[in-house]
Amino acid sequence: MHDESRRIEERVQRLHDQRIKTAIYAATVPFEVEAWQAPGEPVPFEEAAAASYAPFAMGTPWGPPWGTTWFRMRGQVPEAWAGRRVEAVIDLGFVGDWPGNQAEALVHLTDGTPLKAVNPLNQYVAIANPATGGETVEYLVEAASNPDILADNFSKTTPLGDILTAGDKPLYTFRSADIAILDEEVWHLDLDVQVLRELMLELGEHDPRRPEIAHALDRAMDLLDLDDVSGSAPAVREALKPVLSRPAHASAHTVSGVGHAHIDSAWLWPIRETKRKTSRTFSNVTSLADEYDDFIFACSQAQQYEWVRDNYPKVWARIQESVKNGQWAPVGGMWVESDGNLPGGEAVARQFVHGKRFFMDHFGIETKGVWLPDSFGYNAAYPQIAKLAGNEWFLTQKISWNQTNKFPHHTFWWEGIDGTRIFTHFPPVDTYNARFSGEEMSRAVRNYQEKGGASRSLAPFGWGDGGGGPTREIMERARRLADLEGSAKVVVEHPDEFFAKAREEYPDAPVWVGELYLELHRATYTSQARTKQGNRRSEHLLREAELWATTAALHAPGYTYPHEKLDRLWKTVLLHQFHDILPGSSIAWVHREAEAEYARVARELQALTAEALAALGSGTTRVFNTSPYDRAEVVRSPDGAPVYVEVPASGSAPLADAERPQPVTVSGRVLDNGLVRVEVAEDGTLSSVRDLRANREVLADQGNLLRLHTDLPNYWDAWDIDKHYKNRYTDLLDATSVTVVEQDPLIGAIRVERDFGKGSKITQTITVRAGSPRIDIETDIDWHETEKILKAAFPVDVRAPHSSAEIQFGHIQRPTHTNTSWEAARFEVSGHRWVHIGEPGYGVAVINDSTYGHDVSRTVREDGGTTTTVRLSLVRAPRIPDPEADQGRHRFTYALLPGATVEDAVAEGYALNLPLRVADAAGAPAPVVSTEGEGVTVEAVKLADDASGDVVVRLYESRGGRARGVLRTGFPLAGAQITDLLERPLEEAGVDDDGAVPLELRPFQILTLRLRRG
């Protein structure tokens, strides 16, 4: 037989694209359209309905950036269309090939009922099936003219990312708004041909199935009447039935399709627009559920549900009905799909607490899995946190974006730092916006790493980010691929069902231990530093407000614990931990609003803490310690004078000098407190840090060396640091001044000022305090660089085989060498409050109050010694998607801690982030709880969420070893329970005769205790 494949493939493509697809709508009549441009921000339906509309012609430009245009559309179904399926078809002037992040609209009835959204790949609204003919149709359409921020494929900066700079030039040209007949036979033929053609092109040239499909399509096209596509469509479909009905191979891979509409809670649009995106997409989804009984839609992010509940009650009612019918699956159990690295441990716990409670309260459903397809790496505490929140499985897709190494598994057990394991799946289709194309199905099978051990994978399908979610076309593809020779089999089902089947099929799945590090998007640990600082500060202010509110509730008659206010503030912080806000990868508008929100949160939390302390009475000035560790350090009195105080963990003490330690001396550029001696060079670097206790020099070279690198990644500016950034740099060694600014027996400080770059200025105050080996470097930067990153280096004279970085509820060790490509790929990593390096008998920690990104490397010197260098990433200057990212003022502190153990790093990390608070109080209430036992660290103290008055304490083992100890209460204790994160009892905890709760923790174990008051 002659090879006719090219002729057939080209013939089929042309007939499909130019004749079949164009005949899907058999006839159209235009709507009569009027328009009203809403001034400023979006308005409620009632205001739009009462507005004055002007005639609007097709082909007219509309929509300034971030604008809202309301269209009134009127029309009538022709009498002759009786018995046909009639739809409204609206093209707002869609552009490009990305269905999200551009124009989209929500269609309403005239009474305000939302019907369905209009999106680039989902332009129809059902009118009647069948029509009676003569129906009058009238809609009010709320159209959003959102700009396509990445239209130039990340190659150009744009002012469109903020309404303040976007201008008012119309972005779109309205193409058409019609009432149309959907020719169902032609529509189905279109899908038949698409599925077969795509399958054919994916099959191997020597696979007999490929020519079988080709010749079947060729013969079928002979039956297509080009002058009457509609009339000939049934015959063409009949000719294709045999090739469409051939069953899949018995060993064919099974793809579990789950409807999905990944909607970033903010990214290339502000939060206000996400509220509308959710309503549009969810309207589409509930409409599709009415049309397809076998449709299942999985949706995470309780925050988005709450937005719809509060702003679109009719859409919310439809969601509730779909959940009741089993077609809508709440998943994920988190308030938002948060970043996987940067939120603190307690914040990750609260993501689950608030998310799971929402789904239980409103749907009676407890979600079983963690749904995080798009976060930028996942911390190694997740398995334990997820399991303690009642989860059984974990899903993500993002690790497939690795720049260097291919992850070896798709289905596996993920083991966290404490030994907890959770069943995990990475969809091999490598997308969370699948549409069941032939290429996607082939890729899923080709990629799948578990061949021979398992035979199924999951595929989230639907257009995301405002693209409209799943469509009827995708559902039809799934039906055709349910059992089709040459393809994987598709079954649409709930993700819980997939995970149950996958786990049963693959009980001996492999194990991955430790973090899921994404070898990409490493700059998200640093970009938009003020957003990150707002998060860090908010997390610690929340801890502080909860502790002192609990103290007041226990000891101050008449004080009421502020449950509702704390709940609202927590949710605000959790929202801004979304994986494109906290990582710094959103437009300027998002980060401008985030900074304002963090400032508001700080004011409210400071007020709540002040109210709680005031409730304890007034009379003497006291110092309050929110840290879980006893503190002996210098604090400033209200008049600014330094005072050396000793304050118990989670308690208070009078503002009065404790027994003073050896004083600080300042001699020239040398600070000495008897514990450390710090010498500042003429260029402002640290020329020497001597640990006087250990009688050894800490530094192997200049300390606090500020290095300015050129930083232009290959593609994703705000997201990425690529390895070549290290190759070009300038060391900042020209200090404009080095000045002693404080010389007191309790505090010595030297200020270093530098000018550099494009008008940037950095002022650093190097401070040594009596009684502490910690050397603080308070930093104030006025930053005006572009495409640069500023790092601070501490080359330490230790031979450290690994570094330890704090993560949620513990720390993770990473090799300092690069023996393998996996180790080499971790050239930029994340950590929380501290990084520790050490050799047997000696260690050093670098502490920070708002920095996450860092790198650790080591070199061998000519004298044979080893230098291990910790470098903090301080600030970046990417230009896409926010061309002014990080410009302006930054204030933060980092510190060097010589002679530090991991325990010291933990304690000083809390101390730097939880400054002692000075306030008036009448007495000295006992700490709510206190602990004994090394490694036992209290993370949160609060009243129970059910308003029972029980005290809830969350603690963990922080050293990485076993811990034994006791917990004592500052109130009469009637009993104690061990609970899950949602404060539900797991088992009774013992209470000793003296009222103490014995504790025994495995390495990094998290323990939540519910304490009943006597």
Side-chain angles (χ1 to χ4, degrees):
M1 181 183 292
H2 297 299
D3 184 2
E4 298 270 16
S5 57
R6 180 175 177 181
R7 175 191 64 79
I8 295 171
E9 290 166 10
E10 291 175 348
R11 180 193 188 196
V12 171
Q13 181 173 356
R14 182 173 186 185
L15 289 176
H16 170 262
D17 294 351
Q18 297 182 10
R19 299 305 172 91
I20 297 173
K21 185 169 284 296
T22 58
I24 287 175
Y25 286 105
T28 63
V29 294
F31 276 104
E32 176 187 316
V33 181
E34 297 176 310
W36 173 68
Q37 178 66 45
E41 286 297 279
V43 301
F45 175 87
E46 292 73 21
E47 184 177 339
S52 296
Y53 286 72
F56 183 89
M58 295 299 98
T60 301
W62 71 279
W66 306 113
T68 301
T69 306
W70 285 81
F71 295 100
R72 178 176 281 129
M73 300 182 181
R74 296 188 180 96
Q76 189 170 31
V77 179
E79 296 281 355
W81 291 6
R84 305 297 296 273
R85 183 169 180 170
V86 180
E87 299 178 343
V89 183
I90 302 168
D91 186 343
L92 299 171
F94 301 116
V95 297
D97 57 1
W98 186 11
N101 194 39
Q102 58 168 295
E104 50 185 307
L106 182 60
V107 179
H108 301 77
L109 293 176
T110 55
D111 66 358
T113 301
L115 286 181
K116 184 179 172 294
V118 173
N119 310 94
L121 299 175
N122 198 346
Q123 298 180 17
Y124 76 95
V125 179
I127 293 175
N129 183 26
T132 59
E135 292 98 329
T136 297
V137 183
E138 184 171 353
Y139 297 137
L140 274 174
V141 180
E142 181 190 26
S145 47
N146 300 330
D148 185 355
I149 302 297
L150 303 182
D152 293 312
N153 202 30
F154 292 89
S155 63
K156 296 179 182 177
T157 60
T158 175
L160 292 174
D162 196 330
I163 197 169
L164 301 180
T165 59
D168 57 5
K169 182 181 178 180
L171 296 176
Y172 300 98
T173 299
F174 209 126
R175 288 200 186 94
S176 60
D178 299 319
I179 299 173
I181 297 173
L182 177 70
D183 190 320
E184 295 187 70
E185 278 295 322
V186 177
W187 180 67
H188 279 290
L189 174 60
D190 168 70
L191 288 157
D192 291 344
V193 173
Q194 281 188 56
V195 168
L196 286 171
R197 177 177 171 274
E198 290 174 4
L199 172 59
M200 171 186 69
L201 295 176
E202 289 299 320
L203 293 169
E205 292 184 5
H206 302 293
D207 190 325
R209 177 68 165 154
R210 179 168 180 153
E212 177 190 45
I213 295 173
H215 288 284
L217 284 167
D218 196 28
R219 290 189 295 270
M221 292 304 101
D222 291 339
L223 301 175
L224 186 69
D225 186 341
L226 302 186
D227 298 319
D228 185 13
V229 173
S230 178
S232 60
V236 180
R237 293 198 69 208
E238 190 66 28
L240 292 175
K241 272 187 179 178
V243 77
L244 271 170
S245 61
R246 292 283 294 272
H249 297 306
S251 59
H253 185 78
T254 298
V255 172
S256 295
V258 180
H260 185 47
H262 179 80
I263 303 177
D264 286 318
S265 289
W267 180 29
L268 304 178
W269 49 87
I271 286 172
R272 71 92 148 140
E273 196 55 33
T274 313
K275 296 177 182 179
R276 301 202 294 177
K277 285 179 179 286
T278 54
S279 69
R280 299 176 196 125
T281 296
F282 295 172
S283 297
N284 286 353
V285 169
T286 52
S287 296
L288 195 62
D290 291 339
E291 194 171 352
Y292 289 87
D293 292 341
D294 53 340
F295 174 59
I296 300 288
F297 179 72
C299 185
S300 66
Q301 304 196 79
Q303 172 70 88
Q304 295 184 2
Y305 287 77
E306 185 176 79
W307 284 335
V308 174
R309 183 199 68 188
D310 294 345
N311 297 292
Y312 297 88
K314 293 182 179 179
V315 178
W316 171 250
R318 285 156 57 180
I319 292 173
Q320 290 180 305
E321 188 65 25
S322 292
V323 172
K324 192 181 302 180
N325 293 338
Q327 292 184 278
W328 185 297
V331 295
M334 298 178 73
W335 191 247
V336 295
E337 291 181 11
S338 72
D339 179 79
N341 290 308
L342 307 181
E346 188 60 25
V348 178
R350 302 299 177 96
Q351 288 282 356
F352 286 110
V353 168
H354 287 289
K356 295 197 72 153
R357 281 224 182 97
F358 184 93
F359 294 132
M360 289 190 286
D361 290 345
H362 293 284
F363 302 119
I365 290 174
E366 179 166 0
T367 55
K368 294 183 179 179
V370 182
W371 185 277
L372 276 178
D374 189 30
S375 193
F376 310 143
Y378 307 90
N379 73 80
Y382 253 126
Q384 182 180 193
I385 297 172
K387 292 295 283 291
L388 287 173
N391 294 293
E392 299 173 0
W393 53 261
F394 188 99
L395 177 135
T396 185
Q397 178 266 319
K398 202 68 174 187
I399 302 299
S400 69
W401 288 38
N402 270 4
Q403 198 173 43
T404 304
N405 298 285
K406 182 177 177 62
F407 195 81
H409 313 301
H410 281 107
T411 301
F412 59 99
W413 289 97
W414 179 20
E415 182 179 313
I417 52 174
D418 72 308
T420 299
R421 293 179 177 179
I422 191 166
F423 196 70
T424 301
H425 181 69
F426 295 171
V429 71
D430 279 359
T431 180
Y432 41 79
N433 297 135
R435 62 184 184 91
F436 296 131
S437 68
E439 190 276 331
E440 287 173 349
M441 299 298 287
S442 177
R443 185 196 322 144
V445 175
R446 185 174 61 251
N447 272 355
Y448 191 57
Q449 302 277 76
E450 316 308 321
K451 296 182 184 76
S455 63
R456 61 181 67 244
S457 66
L458 186 145
F461 66 86
W463 305 110
D465 285 335
T471 65
R472 59 188 180 184
E473 289 78 13
I474 301 177
M475 281 300 297
E476 289 293 336
R477 285 173 169 271
R479 286 180 169 184
R480 286 162 174 77
L481 294 169
D483 193 14
L484 182 62
E485 184 186 354
S487 172
K489 296 182 287 188
V490 174
V491 55
V492 178
E493 62 182 350
H494 195 294
D496 286 347
E497 295 181 34
F498 162 76
F499 275 95
K501 293 173 183 176
R503 184 169 174 176
E504 181 181 7
E505 177 189 48
Y506 203 24
D508 57 346
V511 177
W512 180 269
V513 178
E515 67 182 327
L516 294 174
Y517 177 87
L518 177 64
E519 296 175 1
L520 197 72
H521 293 358
R522 302 167 181 92
T524 58
Y525 317 143
T526 305
S527 296
Q528 299 284 5
R530 284 183 293 268
T531 297
K532 291 173 171 59
Q533 187 174 50
N535 174 75
R536 177 78 71 84
R537 190 73 185 118
S538 295
E539 290 178 347
H540 289 83
L541 286 171
L542 280 161
R543 175 197 179 102
E544 194 171 22
E546 287 184 338
L547 173 65
W548 300 117
T550 302
T551 305
L554 293 172
H555 298 290
Y559 177 83
T560 302
Y561 189 86
H563 283 284
E564 292 184 3
K565 290 180 180 179
L566 287 168
D567 179 82
R568 173 175 50 80
L569 291 166
W570 261 115
K571 288 175 178 175
T572 299
V573 174
L574 297 179
L575 164 61
H576 288 85
Q577 291 175 343
F578 179 75
H579 66 254
D580 275 308
I581 303 179
L582 182 53
S585 47
S586 288
I587 56 173
W589 191 348
V590 172
H591 291 289
R592 173 169 57 81
E593 290 190 333
E595 290 175 34
E597 281 291 274
Y598 284 130
R600 180 187 62 80
V601 166
R603 288 192 299 271
E604 290 196 41
L605 288 170
Q606 293 281 17
L608 287 179
T609 298
E611 289 169 11
L613 296 180
L616 296 172
S618 61
T620 60
T621 304
R622 298 186 67 82
V623 183
F624 293 84
N625 174 18
T626 310
S627 163
Y629 291 90
D630 297 341
R631 307 266 285 273
E633 61 187 69
V634 177
V635 67
R636 292 192 186 273
S637 66
D639 64 3
V643 181
Y644 187 76
V645 295
E646 294 179 354
V647 195
S650 304
S652 68
L655 180 63
D657 266 326
E659 182 178 347
R660 285 196 170 201
Q662 183 172 332
V664 178
T665 61
V666 182
S667 176
R669 296 189 305 274
V670 179
L671 306 172
D672 189 325
N673 67 356
L675 303 174
V676 291
R677 185 171 67 242
V678 179
E679 297 181 18
V680 180
E682 288 186 14
D683 61 17
T685 61
L686 303 183
S687 57
S688 172
V689 173
R690 189 155 192 88
D691 185 339
L692 301 176
R693 299 163 301 172
N695 192 27
R696 63 182 285 171
E697 175 61 42
V698 175
L699 299 177
D701 205 337
Q702 295 163 294
N704 193 37
L705 174 65
L706 298 175
R707 179 167 286 181
L708 187 67
H709 291 267
T710 297
D711 179 23
L712 184 66
N714 291 344
Y715 194 56
W716 304 78
D717 287 25
W719 292 260
D720 283 351
I721 293 177
D722 285 335
K723 203 168 190 176
H724 52 253
Y725 88 90
K726 293 184 177 182
N727 300 338
R728 188 174 180 86
Y729 59 85
T730 300
D731 289 339
L732 305 186
L733 296 175
D734 295 326
T736 57
S737 68
V738 180
T739 311
V740 174
V741 293
E742 187 154 18
Q743 189 167 356
D744 182 274
L746 291 178
I747 300 179
I750 295 173
R751 181 169 296 155
V752 179
E753 297 182 349
R754 306 178 190 277
D755 298 327
F756 63 96
K758 299 178 180 179
S760 297
K761 182 182 180 70
I762 184 167
T763 301
Q764 294 194 303
T765 303
I766 302 161
T767 303
V768 170
R769 294 175 176 85
S772 174
R774 197 180 84 197
I775 304 153
D776 287 357
I777 302 171
E778 301 168 45
T779 302
D780 187 327
I781 305 178
D782 188 13
W783 178 253
H784 298 286
E785 305 309 298
T786 57
E787 296 172 350
K788 298 289 192 295
I789 183 171
L790 181 65
K791 291 216 169 210
F794 292 94
V796 179
D797 186 11
V798 298
R799 181 173 174 80
H802 61 260
S803 65
S804 298
E806 186 187 40
I807 64 168
Q808 296 80 351
F809 296 110
H811 58 268
I812 187 169
Q813 294 183 343
R814 300 179 176 110
T816 55
H817 56 71
T818 55
N819 283 354
T820 71
S821 59
W822 294 87
E823 294 155 357
R826 288 176 169 84
F827 58 83
E828 181 80 5
V829 290
S830 65
H832 285 192
R833 291 169 291 212
W834 54 267
V835 180
H836 182 271
I837 54 173
E839 61 190 21
Y842 194 81
V844 174
V846 178
I847 318 289
N848 73 84
D849 71 356
S850 60
T851 300
Y852 295 89
H854 65 277
D855 67 84
V856 182
S857 60
R858 66 176 184 173
T859 58
V860 176
R861 305 186 299 272
E862 290 186 4
D863 64 4
T866 298
T867 300
T868 304
T869 302
V870 177
R871 299 200 310 160
L872 297 180
S873 301
L874 302 182
V875 65
R876 295 186 73 230
R879 303 181 67 207
I880 299 172
D882 175 6
E884 298 297 318
D886 279 316
Q887 298 300 300
R889 205 70 176 269
H890 301 270
R891 296 182 180 89
F892 50 84
T893 299
Y894 54 91
L896 184 69
L897 186 65
T901 63
V902 165
E903 296 95 315
D904 296 330
V906 173
E908 290 299 324
Y910 277 108
L912 184 61
N913 284 269
L914 291 165
L916 295 174
R917 178 181 287 267
V918 177
D920 285 343
V928 177
V929 294
S930 59
T931 60
E932 299 170 10
E934 292 185 358
V936 178
T937 302
V938 174
E939 179 66 8
V941 177
K942 58 190 285 293
L943 289 192
D945 290 343
D946 62 7
S948 63
D950 291 351
V951 175
V952 172
V953 179
R954 188 142 35 243
L955 45 83
Y956 69 105
E957 196 289 314
S958 59
R959 298 178 306 164
R962 294 192 176 273
R964 286 186 173 87
V966 295
L967 178 142
R968 303 185 188 280
T969 64
F971 57 89
L973 181 64
Q977 290 178 323
I978 298 172
T979 74
D980 66 5
L981 296 184
L982 278 72
E983 300 170 13
R984 299 176 296 191
L986 298 175
E987 60 181 278
E988 288 294 317
V991 179
D992 289 345
D993 293 340
D994 63 353
V997 180
L999 301 172
E1000 185 170 345
L1001 302 175
R1002 67 178 182 273
F1004 299 129
Q1005 181 182 354
I1006 303 166
L1007 186 69
T1008 304
L1009 293 172
R1010 185 176 183 128
L1011 308 174
R1012 297 189 300 277
R1013 294 153 62 183

